[in-house]
Amino acid sequence: MEKDQDKILSDVTSGEYKYGFYSDIEMDRIPKGLSEEVVRIISSMKNEPEWLLESRLKAYRHWLTMKMPSWPNLKIPHIDYQEIIFYAAPKKRPLLNSIDDIDPELKRTFDKLGIPLEEQKHLAGVAVDAVIDSVSVKTTFRETLAEMGIIFCSFSDAVKEYPDLVKRYMGSVVPYTDNFFAALNSAVFSDGSFCYIPKGVRCPMELSTYFRINSANTGQFERTLLVADEESYVSYLEGCTAPSRDENQLHAAIVEIIVEKNAEVKYSTVQNWYPGNKEGKGGIFNFVTKRGICKGENSKISWTQIETGSAITWKYPSCILRGDNSIGEFYSVAVTNNHQQADTGTKMIHIGKNTKSTIVSKGISAGKGQNSYRGLVKVLKNAAFARSFSQCDSLLLGDKCGAHTFPYLEVDNQTAIVEHEATTSKIGEDQIFYCNQRGIATEDAIGLIVNGYAREVINKLPMEFAVEAQKLLQISLEGSVG
Amino acid sequence: MLIIKNLKASIGGKSILKGITLEVKPGEIHAIMGPNGSGKSTLAAVLAGREFVEVNEGTVLYQGKNLLGMAAEDRAKEGIFLGFQYPIEIPGVSMVNFMKTAVNEHRKHKGLDPLSASDFLKMMREKKEMVEIDSKLANRSVNEGFSGGEKKKNEIFQMAMLEPSLAILDETDSGLDIDALRVVANGVNKLKRSDNSFIVITHYQRLLDYIVPDVVHVLYDGRIVKTAGKELALELEEKGYDWIKREVENNVIA
Ligand SMILES: Nc1ncnc2c1ncn2[C@@H]1O[C@H](COP(=O)(O)OP(=O)(O)O)[C@@H](O)[C@H]1O
Ligand SMILES: [Mg+2]
């Protein structure tokens, strides 16, 4: 019986990564390595104002004093920052954000990824900012959105066109002192997306950023800054892929969200960076700091993440619930197959009264994958009647993988109600056989069962992406059972 | 339809089926009765392709093909349906999604295109009415939170959806109240045709008041110890299994 299960499991965990191709695009790269000089070069290549260079240098100097965090439940190989190229950008870039000036190879790359850069070809109702390596190459529907006062552009453009907004909000939620990777990003970030939704506006389309790492030996360090003014609403989605390579590549991003009174931001991630091969060679190191603040009363942030890629994932999308009655949500599915490792979760910081947080985390481990949930629920003294509910489930496929849960609770207010539930289950041979008996092959059965397990989270995704996410879950576990 | 010859099977080295010979012809309903632990579910498991049961000897021909060489899902698509004694819960997977996947796998196997969403839903509706199950059941996750009776009715519903050639119902009647029992029996009677067959495994004769078997077998300690017409079920009901046990021990039946 055990033997059959083993065989089944070893067969289902060997699917292929679909986005592993490399595109031959003419690139400008700076020499590898990191120094104050490199920080200055990046800033000058982007024609940045003095204040931004200063802020980068401050972050860099601070980074030099910091060490990699050692608390995650991860085995992280030594990273030599002098071997990484910190800036790479396609040579031919559109000047006026017009599609005609884009390198056709670049266009083909995004077509292949299912992200056409022509507006008329794109999924109706989705605006995209396409970022390759260090720069944003095209933001669709910019003009359409601008008519409603919505700003959606690359971070670099925002620095030029809306310096006051950037200055006001950048670093206000994730200061460069926050952690090692946040400091690194604040020093060398190259591009990313900027979004501002004005007062009273419901953004009529999904906004999304698609991140692609293409060049070898290059790190990707992007920032996303999202501001939702009073009474506004936006749903935002990010996706990411990278070529299959034997070397590890570093991705260290920052996402900051500011939500004012009565406003709501839904932030969804489908993370599918190259996970490395079956033997654990290669893959992206994904070290990301994501945090939002519910500044005004009745504001809401909802994080949804489907994490299937990366060799190592280290990220804790968090909510600072400052406004009274504000709501923070975190819905997560994290898959670790083969040799992937993930240490992911959230922080919910209750500051305002009647604040509410919901955490639903679904870990799926297969192969030799190691999956850790790490979550902090902190209720401050003045957060009267705060409520928090966490549900952390782990699903194991096979007996060579691991699931771990690290919930931290710090409650300083007597009226708070904080609940935490956790379960660990194994995918049942009985369930698989039940499907087999109805004519469903084992591979498909696992896809079905895993998607059922993750359904609560997948249902939170915008509809257009829920189907994609389901397929991705199935593909990422292909070969893990058979 | 099905020809089993001298089938011997074991679980973890322990011999369970000790030489079963049985033939089911198209259009027939066979009842297999017998005390708990005699190997009824194990026989069903072997026929459905459960791998933890090792087949040690014997042959099984299904529609002329060597059944034992086929993967479980292929047996299903070739028309073998097992109504589970203990149906399995699959949380979060809707019955609609589950059945759509199953029906389309069956169709693919027959070289047919998948059903459109609307055709599929129409089919679901018709079958739900046919087997008289609560239409809400089909909107829930597979068996999740179903009562014992609901689970069994759901097996009959799935059988109606998949229209098998050979349905094996493993104690589908156990633990059912009289209404649920009627649902199960009606399902079988409505689906019965001249070209399909049923093996109804049951512990009690009660179900056989509603489903009239052509042949009744008694399985005891891994062997079929008695085969007769439907009157055998009544005799068993009257005399109990102890009668069979005694006869076997006294070698009255061999
Ligand atoms: N999974 C299993 N592992 C070990 N023994 C089993 C297993 N399933 C059934 N058995 C044994 O096989 C014998 C027959 O069981 P079963 O086929 O379930 O009988 P029935 O359905 O007639 O009640 C019993 O002795 C039972 O303990
Ligand atoms: Mg049984």
Side-chain angles (χ1 to χ4, degrees):
Chain A
M1 196 163 174
E2 275 297 302
K3 242 193 206 140
D4 293 330
Q5 181 98 7
D6 286 353
K7 184 191 166 302
I8 290 174
L9 290 172
S10 72
D11 291 346
V12 175
T13 28
S14 49
E16 294 297 328
Y17 185 71
K18 275 202 327 194
Y19 307 95
F21 63 89
Y22 164 73
S23 314
D24 196 5
I25 299 164
E26 271 192 276
M27 299 293 270
D28 280 324
R29 291 183 186 86
I30 64 171
K32 66 185 184 186
L34 183 54
S35 63
E36 228 176 86
E37 184 56 23
V38 166
V39 174
R40 283 177 197 280
I41 291 172
I42 293 171
S43 187
S44 80
M45 287 185 79
K46 303 180 78 65
N47 290 317
E48 280 175 356
E50 192 58 29
W51 65 267
L52 193 48
L53 174 63
E54 278 313 310
S55 132
R56 285 177 181 277
L57 289 171
K58 240 196 281 175
Y60 174 70
R61 286 167 200 146
H62 188 72
W63 179 74
L64 289 175
T65 69
M66 298 178 94
K67 279 206 180 73
M68 278 247 302
S70 56
W71 49 263
N73 188 27
L74 300 168
K75 289 199 187 85
I76 307 173
H78 173 71
I79 298 170
D80 186 347
Y81 292 89
Q82 301 312 329
E83 286 300 318
I84 295 173
I85 296 171
F86 283 83
Y87 189 87
K91 267 208 172 88
K92 281 186 229 149
R93 285 171 54 208
L95 288 174
L96 298 162
N97 204 32
S98 122
I99 192 79
D100 308 329
D101 304 336
I102 297 182
D103 182 340
E105 185 57 34
L106 198 64
K107 239 189 295 188
R108 267 196 296 278
T109 302
F110 279 97
D111 277 344
K112 232 162 136 179
L113 296 168
I115 318 285
L117 300 179
E118 291 95 338
E119 287 180 3
Q120 61 275 22
K121 272 204 204 160
H122 209 270
L123 264 177
V126 184
V128 182
D129 184 24
V131 176
I132 191 156
D133 293 334
S134 303
V135 294
S136 161
V137 287
K138 167 81 185 164
T139 310
T140 61
F141 294 107
R142 245 185 105 156
E143 291 76 19
T144 320
L145 292 165
E147 283 163 21
M148 303 185 72
I150 296 170
I151 304 169
F152 180 46
C153 63
S154 72
F155 203 89
S156 310
D157 287 351
V159 168
K160 289 195 190 79
E161 293 167 39
Y162 312 98
D164 293 343
L165 283 176
V166 175
K167 225 170 170 170
R168 170 140 45 117
Y169 290 112
M170 189 184 110
S172 70
V173 193
V174 182
Y176 67 86
T177 48
D178 193 80
N179 68 70
F180 183 83
F181 296 108
L184 178 65
N185 176 290
S186 302
V188 301
F189 74 92
S190 43
D191 212 338
S193 305
F194 176 79
C195 169
Y196 174 82
I197 315 289
K199 230 180 196 165
V201 172
R202 277 187 75 87
C203 185
M205 48 177 94
E206 299 284 336
L207 301 187
S208 74
T209 306
Y210 194 90
F211 295 105
R212 172 75 179 168
I213 294 178
N214 189 51
S215 301
N217 307 320
T218 307
Q220 192 179 53
F221 308 93
E222 85 280 350
R223 290 188 85 102
T224 302
L225 179 54
L226 219 156
V227 181
D229 215 328
E230 293 179 13
E231 326 268 335
S232 70
Y233 168 82
V234 65
S235 169
Y236 197 93
L237 183 114
E238 60 174 12
C240 20
T241 58
S244 309
R245 289 205 175 85
D246 283 351
E247 302 79 37
N248 295 112
Q249 275 178 283
L250 181 60
H251 171 255
I254 291 180
V255 175
E256 291 179 283
I257 302 177
I258 295 101
V259 189
E260 302 287 357
K261 201 167 114 185
N262 295 326
E264 178 180 351
V265 172
K266 248 179 89 101
Y267 195 103
S268 313
T269 302
V270 177
Q271 188 266 105
N272 187 24
W273 294 119
Y274 177 56
N277 72 7
K278 272 159 233 156
E279 284 73 48
K281 205 159 194 229
I284 302 293
F285 292 162
N286 189 34
F287 301 127
V288 173
T289 307
K290 290 181 167 175
R291 194 176 302 151
I293 180 165
C294 286
K295 248 178 146 168
E297 56 196 65
N298 302 314
S299 54
K300 179 174 175 185
I301 295 174
S302 185
W303 298 100
T304 303
Q305 58 172 25
I306 308 292
E307 302 280 320
T308 58
S310 298
I312 302 178
T313 294
W314 177 94
K315 68 181 268 201
Y316 315 90
S318 303
C319 299
I320 300 169
L321 303 172
R322 203 173 78 188
D324 290 346
N325 309 316
S326 61
I327 297 173
E329 294 177 339
F330 174 75
Y331 296 97
S332 169
V333 173
V335 177
T336 51
N337 192 0
N338 299 320
H339 291 261
Q340 283 177 280
Q341 308 174 62
D343 191 306
T344 183
T346 184
K347 286 191 262 184
M348 293 289 176
I349 315 294
H350 293 256
I351 301 173
K353 294 181 184 61
N354 296 313
T355 45
K356 231 174 100 182
S357 63
T358 304
I359 299 169
V360 176
S361 162
K362 304 266 182 181
I364 300 167
S365 316
K368 293 182 177 144
Q370 291 294 328
N371 210 320
S372 299
Y373 167 81
R374 188 182 303 275
L376 168 67
V377 174
K378 188 173 176 137
V379 179
L380 275 68
K381 222 192 250 133
N382 293 326
F385 304 105
R387 295 205 57 154
S388 176
F389 174 74
S390 314
Q391 172 76 47
C392 301
D393 297 329
S394 308
L395 184 67
L396 299 169
L397 283 78
D399 49 15
K400 294 187 190 77
C401 52
H404 319 272
T405 309
F406 305 99
Y408 305 91
L409 296 179
E410 295 173 19
V411 181
D412 278 333
N413 187 299
Q414 296 276 320
T415 61
I417 302 176
V418 178
E419 293 166 275
H420 175 88
E421 287 175 13
T423 67
T424 300
S425 47
K426 274 195 159 194
I427 201 161
E429 199 194 0
D430 285 348
Q431 290 176 325
I432 293 172
F433 182 73
Y434 193 72
C435 295
N436 290 158
Q437 213 302 306
R438 300 304 184 242
I440 302 167
T442 299
E443 195 117 304
D444 298 327
I446 286 171
L448 209 60
I449 295 164
V450 164
N451 272 303
Y453 166 79
R455 181 155 87 163
E456 202 182 338
V457 175
I458 288 176
N459 281 350
K460 297 287 169 187
L461 286 176
M463 244 214 320
E464 300 88 322
F465 301 102
V467 178
E468 274 309 301
Q470 282 179 9
K471 278 191 226 149
L472 192 57
L473 271 188
Q474 176 148 359
I475 291 166
S476 67
L477 289 167
E478 241 164 48
S480 67
V481 186
Chain B
M1 180 68 65
L2 184 74
I3 301 170
I4 303 175
K5 276 197 187 135
N6 191 31
L7 179 66
K8 295 185 182 171
S10 56
I11 299 175
K14 182 182 159 205
S15 159
I16 310 280
L17 300 181
K18 301 171 179 169
I20 296 212
T21 296
L22 179 70
E23 177 168 1
V24 180
K25 296 204 173 77
E28 286 183 346
I29 297 180
H30 286 231
I32 296 182
M33 304 183 70
N36 278 330
S38 57
K40 302 183 297 294
S41 293
T42 304
L43 176 60
V46 170
L47 296 178
R50 192 101 217 217
E51 284 182 5
F52 70 74
V53 186
E54 293 153 54
V55 174
N56 308 111
E57 217 181 303
T59 56
V60 180
L61 281 184
Y62 168 70
Q63 296 181 333
K65 279 172 261 183
N66 170 21
L67 186 70
L68 300 177
M70 290 161 73
E73 63 268 27
D74 293 331
R75 300 182 194 199
K77 288 182 281 192
E78 285 285 328
I80 290 188
F81 178 89
L82 173 61
F84 285 67
Q85 183 172 2
Y86 304 107
I88 307 297
E89 301 192 8
I90 311 180
V93 177
S94 70
M95 272 305 294
V96 174
N97 193 13
F98 182 65
M99 272 291 103
K100 197 167 78 192
T101 309
V103 165
N104 284 333
E105 286 298 324
H106 278 71
R107 291 179 64 88
K108 193 160 86 191
H109 187 71
K110 295 193 184 95
L112 299 171
D113 287 336
L115 280 180
S116 71
S118 66
D119 284 347
F120 175 75
L121 291 174
K122 190 165 149 251
M123 175 181 177
M124 282 237 351
R125 213 162 36 237
E126 285 168 6
K127 302 292 181 175
K128 268 189 290 197
E129 278 166 23
M130 177 176 174
V131 300
E132 299 160 55
I133 73 156
D134 186 345
S135 75
K136 271 178 253 129
L137 283 190
N139 297 330
R140 288 160 52 184
S141 296
V142 179
N143 294 322
E144 194 186 18
F146 285 27
S147 71
E150 286 172 338
K151 283 182 182 169
K152 297 299 179 73
K153 286 195 250 178
N154 191 27
E155 295 293 289
I156 297 299
F157 167 66
Q158 293 178 49
M159 178 174 79
M161 290 291 290
L162 298 173
E163 299 183 323
S165 306
L166 173 64
I168 304 156
L169 302 180
D170 190 359
E171 296 209 30
T172 306
D173 55 329
S174 293
L176 293 191
D177 61 26
I178 210 75
D179 285 337
L181 193 66
R182 222 173 258 137
V183 167
V184 168
N186 283 346
V188 172
N189 290 327
K190 282 183 185 166
L191 290 166
K192 180 178 185 260
R193 290 192 314 250
S194 61
D195 61 346
N196 63 11
S197 313
F198 292 83
I199 296 177
V200 180
I201 296 173
T202 177
H203 192 68
Y204 309 99
Q205 107 86 23
R206 205 173 55 143
L207 179 67
L208 305 179
D209 288 340
Y210 301 92
I211 300 172
V212 183
D214 299 291
V215 187
V216 177
H217 309 273
V218 179
L219 189 63
Y220 178 68
D221 191 24
R223 289 186 183 89
I224 289 180
V225 294
K226 215 169 169 69
T227 295
K230 60 176 187 281
E231 65 290 345
L232 177 57
L234 289 169
E235 200 175 353
L236 278 172
E237 181 80 352
E238 214 172 284
K239 298 185 181 169
Y241 287 114
D242 286 346
W243 160 65
I244 292 282
K245 288 181 196 172
R246 266 196 313 274
E247 283 198 28
V248 171
E249 273 146 29
N250 299 333
N251 269 331
V252 177
I253 342 175

